[in-house]
Amino acid sequence: MTGGPPPAAALDYAIPERSGEALIVPSLDRVPVLLAESHAMMRWDGADVLGVPLGEFRRRTRTRALALAGEYTGAAAPADTRPLVVMGHQPVLFHPGVWFKYLLLTRITSATSAAGLHLIVDTDATGPIGADVPDERDQLVRARETLIDLDADVPLETAPVPEPTAWTAFVERMQAHLSTVRLPALAARFGAWADGAGEARSAASLGTWLARLRRRYEALAGAPGYLELPMSWLADTPEFRAFALHMLRAPDELARVYNGQLEAYRAAHRLRSSANPFPNLTTGGDRVEAPFWVVHGGRRRELSVARADGRLVLTVGAEPIATIPADASGVDALAERGIALRPKAIVLTMFARLCLGDLFVHGVGGGRYDRVTDAIAGELFGCRPAPYLVATATLHLPLAAAAAGGERRAMERRLMDLRHNPDRYLPAASDAQRSLVDEKWELIRAVEAMRPGPERRAATRRIRAINASLAADLAAEVADVEAHLAGLGASDGEGAAESRDYPYCLFDPAEVAALAGVPQSPA
């Protein structure tokens, strides 16, 4: 089938190493062709969602999504007949390589007839929200400040906007670090970003509040050329519920296809971990883990599904929460029972590419795992989703690197290796040591197949205990490396200077826009 990136065997994506370098695959001159091929209705012939031809289903989904996006963004919705480029990301304080995708979306919409849509992935539970920040009080180091410490099961769509006192304290801590750095522009940029907090405070959740802060700051380089829509809004539409029901209506077949394609991907890429790129769906008794979450009581819960007598039994934990028809009438039943389904990663991009957009803009990680998405969609729906483009960039802050940075990193790697892989450094292992090494590697192989839980935690603790026991025989070498590191001082040198992970709000929007090739607005 035409469109999409080259086959996995022929392509991998390398994050640019030097500041100011970008990765865009395929090249932008291919975008008009990919959009035209994907936008052609004949591409979707023969596929359907709950009996609705996929071409018609895409039209309905797009019409509704663009209307909602216009309402959310406060702008006129574009015609649903235009090609549509979609991207999505969690609204957090990400690095400028992620931000590059947003500016690239503006470039694409300015250079083509396509409309742009960013899905604010507020359905994710990210855990603590914070940012790295440089500090040069004595020597250059990288500090970390937390804005809000979310529980791991609280999605951004239900998390509240920070209280003014917590926000002010975060800003003051960040500015205190930045005041030590001999680059006043950093504090000025952060201040310009933080100034939007009051304007954004009417947002309904932490996710949409952070998204407003980012869009306002981005607009300093020119108006974004795309609409935005929270994924939580899109997931509550009849079209998303229909898509979910289509996938869930045959749970055993879903698990066979989903898990089989993940296993094939791991084998093709020689991945040993069963969690890479994502764990298999668990099966047990008559129930199958669903590739969807349920939001209940402000928290995200695992969902399982079973089919009996033409109906689907939806269960959270050990508690059935709804029994609905497995046919199209189940769509209204989901809404009537208030079941808030939310997609996991593969399903989110599958819906965006199969049912909504003509081109999807991914980062490197998404570009890798969506090869699995193509295969799963091919089996479940009988066609490949719309193609995707992979984009990222590397930008460093212009910080002075300590001369000892490279040596420090080498010593830190060696110290970590001595502590976590002491068996590599034993000059002549005794029988007792060989027995411990064999036990360690048996546990490592077992852990790779375990799901998170008490058994995995116990095995991990035992591995750490074995490492500590073996490392005790290398105490003299560990002490030598620690002394060497102490002599290099407290700075992580080049590690802090060349970090790729500082938040986008320390970078100049115009600089990132220029790297993405966004046309400059007339002065």
Side-chain angles (χ1 to χ4, degrees):
M1 177 169 284
T2 58
L11 174 67
D12 200 1
Y13 307 110
I15 295 172
E17 294 184 1
R18 291 188 290 272
S19 184
E21 292 184 339
L23 171 77
I24 304 173
V25 179
S27 60
L28 289 179
D29 59 6
R30 286 276 299 150
V31 167
V33 175
L34 295 175
L35 286 171
E37 292 175 346
S38 184
H39 197 57
M41 291 291 286
M42 67 186 66
R43 174 189 173 96
W44 312 105
D45 286 352
D48 71 274
V49 175
L50 292 183
V52 179
L54 184 54
E56 170 61 17
F57 188 83
R58 283 171 55 84
R59 187 194 64 76
R60 295 180 189 177
T61 304
R62 184 173 305 195
T63 299
R64 192 181 301 273
L66 291 176
L68 288 171
E71 176 187 343
Y72 172 82
T73 312
D80 59 15
T81 54
R82 292 170 60 184
L84 182 63
V85 182
V86 181
M87 65 161 284
H89 206 275
Q90 301 92 337
V92 294
L93 301 181
F94 42 67
H95 62 77
V98 173
W99 195 22
F100 175 79
K101 297 190 301 177
Y102 293 74
L103 280 303
L104 188 67
L105 183 55
T106 290
R107 175 182 175 179
I108 291 172
T109 59
S110 68
T112 68
S113 63
L117 177 64
H118 169 233
L119 298 176
I120 301 167
V121 185
D122 60 340
T123 51
D124 265 10
T126 61
I129 302 287
D132 287 357
V133 58
D135 188 295
E136 210 170 1
R137 281 183 178 86
D138 298 312
Q139 299 184 68
L140 181 62
V141 296
R142 186 176 60 192
R144 179 78 180 175
E145 292 294 347
T146 299
L147 169 60
I148 184 168
D149 191 6
L150 291 181
D151 290 343
D153 61 350
V154 175
L156 295 172
E157 66 174 290
T158 66
V161 174
E163 292 294 329
T165 52
W167 168 248
T168 300
F170 171 74
V171 171
E172 289 176 349
R173 294 195 305 271
M174 291 288 289
Q175 290 287 25
H177 291 297
L178 294 172
S179 69
T180 69
V181 178
R182 295 184 293 271
L183 289 170
L186 301 190
R189 292 168 191 164
F190 181 78
W193 172 78
D195 284 346
E199 183 181 317
R201 188 154 289 280
S202 61
S205 69
L206 176 63
T208 51
W209 180 73
L210 287 168
R212 288 187 186 184
L213 277 173
R214 188 263 313 147
R215 187 177 179 94
R216 180 184 180 276
Y217 186 59
E218 186 177 320
L220 296 177
Y226 54 88
L227 299 181
E228 303 199 67
L229 177 63
M231 189 62 216
S232 58
W233 287 32
L234 187 58
D236 282 337
T237 63
E239 289 75 25
F240 182 82
R241 293 190 184 105
F243 166 80
L245 189 58
H246 184 102
M247 293 191 69
L248 296 175
R249 61 183 178 169
D252 292 338
E253 175 69 2
L254 170 62
R256 182 192 68 78
V257 171
Y258 191 100
N259 294 348
Q261 291 299 343
L262 282 172
E263 295 288 359
Y265 179 88
R266 293 185 195 113
H269 295 275
R270 299 180 180 179
L271 301 174
R272 296 196 306 167
S273 172
S274 60
N276 193 346
F278 300 103
N280 285 5
L281 301 177
T282 58
T283 59
D286 60 346
R287 293 193 296 179
V288 170
E289 177 190 351
F292 298 87
W293 306 100
V294 168
V295 175
H296 180 70
R299 296 183 179 269
R300 198 171 71 168
R301 309 280 301 277
E302 290 276 6
L303 175 71
S304 61
V305 59
R307 178 160 179 155
D309 301 324
R311 299 178 70 79
L312 298 177
V313 181
L314 306 181
T315 302
V316 172
E319 177 187 356
I321 60 170
T323 299
I324 61 172
D327 58 21
S329 63
V331 175
D332 289 339
L334 283 170
E336 290 165 3
R337 287 162 177 77
I339 306 298
L341 293 177
R342 300 294 186 257
K344 296 183 180 179
I346 286 179
V347 173
L348 192 158
T349 55
M350 187 187 301
F351 179 72
R353 295 174 56 209
L354 193 69
C355 303
L356 181 58
D358 298 305
L359 179 69
F360 193 88
V361 180
H362 258 311
V364 167
R368 289 171 177 160
Y369 78 65
D370 241 12
R371 297 162 181 167
V372 181
T373 307
D374 288 346
I376 294 172
E379 281 204 64
L380 292 179
F381 291 89
C383 71
R384 187 175 177 179
Y388 60 87
L389 177 149
V390 172
T392 190
T394 293
L395 290 112
H396 297 152
L397 295 174
L399 301 166
E407 184 179 4
R408 167 171 285 277
R409 286 202 302 278
M411 288 293 99
E412 287 174 340
R413 284 194 296 268
R414 183 170 181 83
L415 182 60
M416 181 174 290
D417 215 28
L418 284 166
R419 289 170 173 165
H420 296 283
N421 296 292
D423 41 306
R424 297 177 181 174
Y425 297 90
L426 295 172
S430 65
D431 289 344
Q433 288 171 330
R434 280 195 293 271
S435 177
L436 286 173
V437 172
D438 290 344
E439 182 186 355
K440 169 185 169 177
W441 285 102
E442 286 177 6
L443 285 168
I444 288 173
R445 286 189 288 271
V447 163
E448 289 173 350
M450 294 177 186
R451 295 183 66 82
E455 183 183 13
R456 182 169 181 164
R457 289 194 293 271
T460 302
R461 285 195 296 269
R462 177 56 183 159
I463 291 169
R464 285 199 295 264
I466 292 173
N467 282 336
S469 177
L470 295 173
D473 296 320
L474 301 169
E477 188 170 354
V478 169
D480 287 345
V481 174
E482 288 176 336
H484 194 104
L485 277 169
L488 293 176
S491 173
D492 70 354
E494 293 174 66
E498 297 182 1
S499 172
R500 189 172 178 266
D501 294 327
Y502 292 119
Y504 70 88
C505 51
L506 300 185
F507 292 81
D508 181 359
E511 179 185 354
V512 183
L515 183 60
V518 176
Q520 290 188 341
S521 301

